[in-house]
Amino acid sequence: MKKILCLLLITSLSFAQNANRSYLSHTWKKNNLEIKTNDGSYQIKYLSDKIVETSFIPNGETFNPISEAIINTNQKSKVKLTDGVNALMLYSKDLTILIDKAPFKISYLKNGGFILSEKNGYVKKEAETLEFNITPEEKLYGGGARAFETMNRRGNRLQLYNRASYGYETHADLMNFCIPMVLSSKMYAVHFDNAAIGYLDLDSKKDNTLVYETISGRKTYQVIIGDTWDEITSNYTSLTGKQPLPPRWAFGNFSSRFGYHTQEEVERTIQKFEESKIPVDAIILDLYWFGKDIKGTMGNLDWDKDNFPNPEKMIADLNKKNIKTILITEPFILTTSSKWKETAANKILATNADGTPATWDFYFGNTGIVDVFNPQGKEWFWNVYKRLINQGVGGLWGDLGEPEVFPSSAITAGGKADEIHNVYGHNWAKLIAEGYQKDFPYQRPFILMRAGYSGSQRFGMIPWSGDVSRSWGGLQSQVGIAVQMGMQGMAYMHSDLGGFAGDYFDNELYLRWLQYGVFTPIFRPHAQEQVASEVAYKDIVTKEKAKKQVELRYQMLPYNYTLAFENNQKGAPLMRPFYIEGNSSDLKSDQYYWGPDLLIKPITKANTTETEVQFPNTVFNWFDFYSDKEYANNTTRKIAVTEDHIPVFVAGGSFIPRIKTITNTSDYSLDNFDLHYYFDEKATTSTGNLYNDDGVTSNAFEKGNYELLKFSSNLSNNVLKINCTAEIGKNFNSKGKNVILILHNINPKKVLLNGKETSFTTNTNQAEISISWEKGTKPEIKIEY
């Protein structure tokens, strides 16, 4: 009670949020608080112990309960209301809301400490705004995909209008994928739950004010708290949906360019990979599959039989090699395309005010656009995809879904263009995901798109960072984009490896981008065709160097696929922000974590021979992934850089599962695998996981079609003990395994396997132990050193 009185005193001394707004009354029913004011009403409800949703409904308006972002509002929370003379206090275990009655003000507190408050709250002038007080010291992140020189986006007024930024390098304050969300270094986030276009002002006037501006729609926001960045992301994705586990082949190498003109060119390209023995899992066909020319053919959405005379056979032949075919599609139907009359007659296009199809000119021609909010439009579009999937197509690429050009005058079944602009790609991905669930329920979709909205991850969307410049500047911006999108739920944000826009030829840049790409969610070289993007088409020297990166990508499949599983279950990003322990506010854009165990420092400048690496203030040390050299925690070191790889470091005590190089993921198996353990005397205990399923079945874990291998270490009195256990799903046919345990940074004197002394080999500060892991057993390895 003393704490409550103190908080009430503090808030009563603060400024009012809006001098023209006054408290009238409140009601409390079923954990929902409604507050009547002179100019409207507030609805406040806890969605969990760490998430609260606040809505303001102005007088004369009715509450719109429909959210494009939120799907889970039934999480358990214990909430209490205290009604004082001067204030109300609504609180869960961790998150408190204080409402001063006079002068009126709403404040949010985390564990008793102030995080933010409404300043003017809702105000309608030229635009509709929600204003908040923030503290001077906090740093702000979020707003979707943006390219900035630093991770901190405070001081910027960010437009919320999905729009491509062609050929960007280190700066692009507006890009393809806007998310109306702000994350604070004080370990909270605010998500503005409204799809209409607008702005997110992150204290651009330097008066400690956060402002959300919009043209119309819901005045609803969620405040989300957590103790770590990963927890905030997990809480946010518990609200907006977790990413389905992609098919395992999605973690392999892609052959892609703009674009393959003929069936013969597709077949010849795959032959080049085969001749060079370069692993490959998929080939992506850009817009030439439906037309000979870039302009005038968009919207055909069917094979150009002159250049692709037998697509079914081409796809079938590729499938026999376990190589997936992925096709580009766009939502634009040109008036010159073969589908124009059909789509116009069936009224599945966005319209003008008089109901006629809305048309406009853009780069590719005069066009209309499929209304994905119209049930007939959704059905028509899905039938296009259904036909292609039945032909054997393994993945779908949705391009230009911002939409790239979408006049404000256009009208859809979901609203006017500006009201639904930012959720067009979101709903496009949704119709594909729902189509798969209905017609191909056992198949995991692959949906490559560059534009979406809050929560698009739940549809399985795989976003990329747009038409980045093929330059060092283009590479330099990629870590910041991918890491921040991962913090906002979109864990598969990645880039066109090597860069897309322009004909800049630089093999060093290409290799550095691929070396970075090994430790990113999707490994997909792609570019304009003036300079080949595919590894198989590089000169002999460059090809051999690039091939090693592709091989490493496949060797890391067990680790990477386990990261994907953790993202699916917990929302944890694959690429995670780097910060020094105890100073989580200072996020770096030049290094990051790949999962919990690897620290990555990309090389983003030409002719680099040395770079500076910060090692975090962890309880364990760090080890060079390639040489095993040890680096102390909480230090900054100059690291020599070689041309064959970027600096990568492993946390002490980590288990890193790997396999030998395979032709493609169809050969993936854990019958034989290597388990690398990085010994560190500071890491007295540690754990690791390895997830496995068939790689294709949707919801395999929930269906019991999986195995989860678990590893633990315990270090005491010069004895390292490693235990292996397995959790087997009820529908998974688990087999025995041959495991090579590779111990780094330790010289064993004696090794016991299940209590019996066993042989081992040593080689330059490493030791290898062969383990026959029979089904149903729990191997225990004791290493005396």
Side-chain angles (χ1 to χ4, degrees):
M1 181 58 70
K2 187 179 292 184
K3 179 181 178 183
I4 293 172
L5 290 174
C6 181
L7 289 173
L8 292 175
L9 178 62
I10 290 171
T11 189
S12 67
L13 293 173
S14 60
F15 294 107
Q17 73 173 49
N18 188 329
N20 297 317
R21 183 167 296 138
S22 57
Y23 167 89
L24 300 179
S25 65
H26 74 273
T27 57
W28 171 245
K29 186 176 181 181
K30 295 182 178 180
N31 280 355
N32 289 337
L33 177 64
E34 182 172 356
I35 302 172
K36 295 287 186 182
T37 71
N38 61 306
D39 61 343
S41 64
Y42 280 92
Q43 291 184 10
I44 303 174
K45 59 181 178 180
Y46 278 72
L47 305 182
S48 77
D49 288 337
K50 297 180 184 291
I51 306 172
V52 65
E53 178 177 280
T54 301
S55 300
F56 184 75
I57 304 95
N59 288 339
E61 295 188 17
T62 57
F63 177 63
N64 176 10
I66 299 174
S67 169
E68 291 277 0
I70 307 304
I71 60 168
N72 186 3
T73 59
N74 296 315
Q75 303 180 63
K76 293 182 180 179
S77 59
K78 293 182 179 179
V79 185
K80 295 182 180 179
L81 176 69
T82 300
D83 185 2
V85 175
N86 298 317
L88 304 170
M89 184 169 78
L90 191 62
Y91 59 97
S92 66
K93 188 178 87 169
D94 304 303
L95 181 57
T96 301
I97 307 171
L98 292 173
I99 303 106
D100 281 305
K101 296 179 180 179
F104 185 77
K105 184 174 183 177
I106 298 178
S107 302
Y108 298 87
L109 300 96
K110 171 187 171 185
N111 298 323
F114 171 85
I115 51 175
L116 83 163
S117 65
E118 289 198 358
K119 186 172 186 178
N120 286 313
Y122 171 75
V123 176
K124 185 173 183 178
K125 296 179 181 177
E126 296 84 7
E128 299 185 59
T129 64
L130 294 169
E131 294 187 8
F132 298 83
N133 296 299
I134 56 175
T135 56
E137 75 280 2
E138 61 189 296
K139 298 180 181 180
L140 302 178
Y141 310 99
R146 317 272 175 170
F148 285 104
E149 288 76 7
T150 64
M151 291 284 273
N152 183 13
R153 295 173 176 178
R154 186 165 183 164
N156 291 281
R157 183 170 178 258
L158 306 176
Q159 188 176 5
L160 298 172
Y161 187 89
N162 291 351
R163 178 181 289 159
S165 180
Y166 179 81
Y168 71 91
E169 295 192 28
T170 57
H171 189 92
D173 55 14
L174 181 62
M175 293 177 65
N176 313 71
F177 206 121
C178 299
I179 296 178
M181 180 179 180
V182 181
L183 299 100
S184 167
S185 59
K186 295 179 70 173
M187 291 292 112
Y188 73 87
V190 184
H191 174 255
F192 297 96
D193 194 358
N194 182 35
I197 65 172
Y199 287 87
L200 201 54
D201 192 321
L202 308 184
D203 194 28
S204 67
K205 297 179 181 178
K206 303 192 183 317
D207 58 356
N208 301 320
T209 304
L210 167 66
V211 185
Y212 169 69
E213 307 172 38
T214 185
I215 59 168
S216 63
R218 286 157 54 91
K219 275 65 75 172
T220 296
Y221 62 92
Q222 293 90 24
V223 175
I224 305 161
I225 63 169
D227 294 328
T228 65
W229 291 117
D230 282 356
E231 185 183 2
I232 291 174
T233 301
S234 179
N235 292 339
Y236 167 72
T237 54
S238 72
L239 197 64
T240 58
K242 297 290 194 289
Q243 178 109 17
L245 191 60
R248 187 157 49 220
W249 61 260
F251 298 93
N253 178 33
F254 290 71
S255 176
S256 183
R257 69 160 60 187
F258 178 32
Y260 302 114
H261 296 257
T262 65
Q263 182 171 335
E264 188 273 334
E265 192 175 350
V266 169
E267 294 166 345
R268 186 174 67 246
T269 297
I270 293 303
Q271 185 178 356
K272 290 283 289 184
F273 278 91
E274 293 172 333
E275 291 171 352
S276 301
K277 293 183 171 54
I278 299 170
V280 64
D281 261 271
I283 186 164
I284 301 181
L285 276 63
D286 214 311
L287 48 75
Y288 296 113
W289 74 273
F290 56 71
K292 299 175 183 63
D293 300 312
I294 294 176
K295 297 183 179 182
T297 58
M298 189 172 289
N300 285 347
L301 295 172
D302 207 348
W303 295 95
D304 172 20
K305 288 299 183 70
D306 291 335
N307 287 333
F308 293 86
N310 197 341
E312 290 86 356
K313 183 180 185 302
M314 179 190 74
I315 295 170
D317 290 344
L318 290 170
N319 283 337
K320 287 177 183 177
K321 298 176 180 180
N322 296 300
I323 296 172
K324 307 298 180 184
T325 304
I326 301 170
L327 301 181
I328 195 172
T329 59
E330 298 89 358
F332 296 101
I333 310 295
L334 298 190
T335 55
T336 54
S337 75
S338 61
K339 295 289 192 297
W340 174 255
K341 290 183 180 179
E342 175 188 340
T343 53
N346 288 305
K347 300 184 183 303
I348 64 167
L349 302 171
T351 69
N352 298 308
D354 62 3
T356 59
T359 59
W360 56 88
D361 293 329
F362 79 140
Y363 176 80
F364 298 95
N366 184 254
T367 193
I369 193 169
V370 177
D371 184 353
V372 298
F373 303 90
N374 179 339
Q376 288 75 33
K378 289 176 62 176
E379 182 180 10
W380 181 88
F381 217 169
W382 172 246
N383 282 334
V384 170
Y385 291 124
K386 185 177 179 180
R387 169 175 50 82
L388 295 171
I389 296 167
N390 282 326
Q391 288 180 340
V393 168
L396 301 170
W397 174 10
D399 200 16
L400 313 184
E402 294 77 23
E404 182 159 295
V405 180
F406 200 23
S408 300
S409 58
I411 299 170
T412 74
K416 298 178 181 178
D418 289 348
E419 294 172 332
I420 54 84
H421 177 95
N422 287 342
V423 288
Y424 186 94
H426 180 79
N427 281 273
W428 185 11
K430 179 181 179 181
L431 81 83
I432 297 174
E434 290 177 345
Y436 268 95
Q437 290 168 4
K438 177 172 65 77
D439 293 319
F440 307 97
Y442 302 107
Q443 184 175 342
R444 299 182 194 175
F446 179 85
I447 306 171
L448 181 69
M449 288 190 173
R450 74 183 193 187
Y453 179 67
S454 311
S456 289
Q457 72 276 355
R458 68 177 179 267
F459 304 128
M461 183 188 288
I462 306 289
W464 86 99
S465 59
D467 294 338
V468 58
S469 168
R470 193 192 320 229
S471 65
W472 289 99
L475 175 56
Q476 288 160 20
S477 61
Q478 295 310 304
V479 170
I481 293 170
V483 166
Q484 292 220 30
M485 283 293 279
M487 295 166 68
Q488 298 169 82
M490 301 304 301
Y492 287 86
M493 174 58 77
H494 65 287
S495 63
D496 292 340
L497 298 184
F500 174 81
D503 57 2
Y504 182 67
F505 180 79
D506 186 335
N507 281 333
E508 182 190 6
L509 169 66
Y510 178 78
L511 290 168
R512 290 303 190 198
W513 214 315
L514 261 61
Q515 291 165 3
Y516 158 69
V518 170
F519 305 98
T520 64
I522 302 293
F523 191 91
R524 186 183 56 84
H526 179 71
Q528 292 172 331
E529 61 187 331
Q530 292 93 330
V531 180
S533 57
E534 304 93 336
V535 175
Y537 279 119
K538 293 298 179 179
D539 64 83
I540 294 174
V541 174
T542 304
K543 180 168 63 177
E544 284 305 308
K545 292 177 180 179
K547 179 181 177 181
K548 290 180 181 179
Q549 302 309 311
V550 177
E551 291 174 341
L552 179 57
R553 174 71 177 187
Y554 280 83
Q555 293 165 16
M556 292 296 295
L557 264 171
Y559 182 83
N560 295 351
Y561 196 60
T562 301
L563 293 186
F565 170 71
E566 292 175 355
N567 168 258
N568 167 248
Q569 294 295 306
K570 302 175 183 178
L574 285 72
M575 294 175 65
R576 303 177 185 181
F578 178 86
Y579 57 91
I580 299 299
E581 206 71 30
N583 184 22
S584 57
S585 66
D586 188 18
L587 302 188
K588 292 179 66 67
S589 61
D590 62 349
Q591 57 187 68
Y592 65 96
Y593 296 109
W594 179 237
D597 303 309
L598 298 178
L599 175 60
I600 315 297
K601 178 64 183 278
I603 299 302
T604 61
K605 294 183 179 180
N607 304 314
T608 298
T609 58
E610 186 180 71
T611 191
E612 186 175 271
V613 176
Q614 280 187 274
F615 294 97
N617 187 22
T618 51
V619 296
F620 44 79
N621 293 314
W622 293 82
F623 299 89
D624 190 295
F625 181 79
Y626 299 95
S627 71
D628 282 344
K629 184 176 179 180
E630 182 176 349
Y631 294 92
N633 60 332
N634 198 26
T635 60
T636 299
R637 298 287 298 275
K638 294 285 187 180
I639 307 294
V641 174
T642 63
E643 67 172 17
D644 57 342
H645 62 79
I646 60 174
V648 177
F649 305 92
V650 189
S654 294
F655 292 93
I656 309 293
R658 293 172 61 174
I659 59 171
K660 300 296 188 289
T661 301
I662 52 180
T663 303
N664 63 27
T665 57
S666 65
D667 294 331
Y668 183 82
S669 171
L670 291 183
D671 291 352
N672 300 277
F673 70 91
D674 297 336
L675 181 62
H676 294 254
Y677 175 77
Y678 288 78
F679 175 79
D680 179 8
E681 288 189 338
K682 290 187 176 182
T684 55
T685 61
S686 67
T687 59
N689 292 323
L690 171 52
Y691 176 77
N692 188 35
D693 59 24
D694 64 7
V696 295
T697 301
S698 60
N699 300 312
F701 179 76
E702 289 74 15
K703 294 173 181 175
N705 186 11
Y706 74 96
E707 63 181 347
L708 184 60
L709 309 182
K710 301 179 180 181
F711 316 107
S712 64
S713 72
N714 186 279
L715 180 61
S716 179
N717 298 322
N718 290 338
V719 176
L720 171 66
K721 184 168 71 173
I722 293 177
N723 288 93
C724 306
T725 60
E727 176 187 319
I728 310 298
K730 62 182 180 180
N731 295 317
F732 189 81
N733 182 23
S734 183
K735 300 178 182 179
K737 295 168 175 57
N738 296 310
V739 182
I740 303 298
L741 177 61
I742 302 175
L743 303 171
H744 295 251
N745 317 305
I746 187 172
N747 293 305
K749 295 180 178 178
K750 182 179 180 180
V751 175
L752 299 177
L753 175 59
N754 297 324
K756 296 181 180 180
E757 188 169 353
T758 188
S759 62
F760 59 91
T761 61
T762 59
N763 180 26
T764 317
N765 210 31
Q766 291 184 12
E768 294 188 6
I769 306 165
S770 295
I771 302 169
S772 180
W773 188 351
E774 299 297 331
K775 182 179 177 180
T777 65
K778 300 178 181 179
E780 180 184 81
I781 306 96
K782 288 185 178 179
I783 300 103
E784 298 178 9
Y785 64 96

